[in-house]
């Protein structure tokens, strides 16, 4: 795969992919703030990935992006006992793409209390 972004989410507390986790990807404006309309938004599927046409190589250019993960809602939907508000309600991750010909894989590994998010190999 070349170009584009892939987002793969794993609930490491349960050892399973995070099916149902809501994720949104926004492009950042020149001032570094997220644009109102998301480039891609939806729930993670049974593969652990967000499947959305907005993540394809044609839609992704050089510049800044913000990925948002609704962790608190995910754990409440799983029936987990989390405080209200949850320790992690939403995780916001900002990153930049210099070369849109490269593929950017974002593995999001999380629990209700912490997370790891980085550019992985794709």
């Amino acid at each position: 795969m070349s170009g584009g972004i892939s987002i793969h989410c794993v609930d490491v507390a349960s050892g399973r992919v995070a099916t149902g986790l809501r994720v949104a990807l926004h492009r950042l404006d020149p001032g570094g703030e997220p644009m109102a309309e998301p480039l891609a938004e939806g729930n993670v599927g049974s593969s652990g990935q967000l499947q959305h046409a907005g993540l394809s190589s044609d839609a992704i250019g050089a510049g800044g992006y913000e990925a948002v993960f609704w962790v608190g809602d995910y754990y409440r939907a799983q029936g987990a006992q989390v405080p209200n508000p949850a320790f992690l309600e939403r995780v916001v991750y900002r990153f930049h793409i210099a070369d849109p010909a490269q593929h950017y894989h974002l593995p999001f590994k999380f629990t209700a209390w912490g997370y790891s998010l980085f550019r992985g190999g794709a």
Side-chain angles (χ1 to χ4, degrees):
M1 175 184 276
S2 65
I5 297 172
S6 58
I7 298 173
H8 187 250
C9 304
V10 177
D11 172 0
V12 294
S14 70
R16 296 187 308 258
V17 296
T19 304
L21 175 69
R22 182 175 168 204
V23 179
L25 180 73
H26 294 264
R27 193 179 303 270
L28 299 180
D29 67 22
E33 295 303 315
M35 294 183 177
E37 288 297 314
L39 182 61
E41 185 171 17
N43 293 331
V44 170
S46 61
S47 69
Q49 292 191 311
L50 176 63
Q51 300 294 329
H52 193 284
L55 299 174
S56 71
S57 58
D58 292 344
I60 304 300
Y65 295 85
E66 176 181 280
V68 182
F69 303 85
W70 276 260
V71 174
D73 288 347
Y74 169 80
Y75 278 110
R76 281 188 286 278
Q78 302 299 311
Q81 296 296 315
V82 292
N84 192 10
F87 181 72
L88 296 174
E89 277 295 333
R90 291 186 189 167
V91 171
V92 176
Y93 184 70
R94 289 188 175 181
F95 63 98
H96 293 81
I97 291 177
D99 182 0
Q102 293 185 26
H103 182 77
Y104 288 75
H105 180 63
L106 302 179
F108 179 54
K109 301 179 185 315
F110 67 99
T111 72
W113 306 103
Y115 64 93
S116 174
L117 186 54
F118 53 93
R119 181 179 179 193

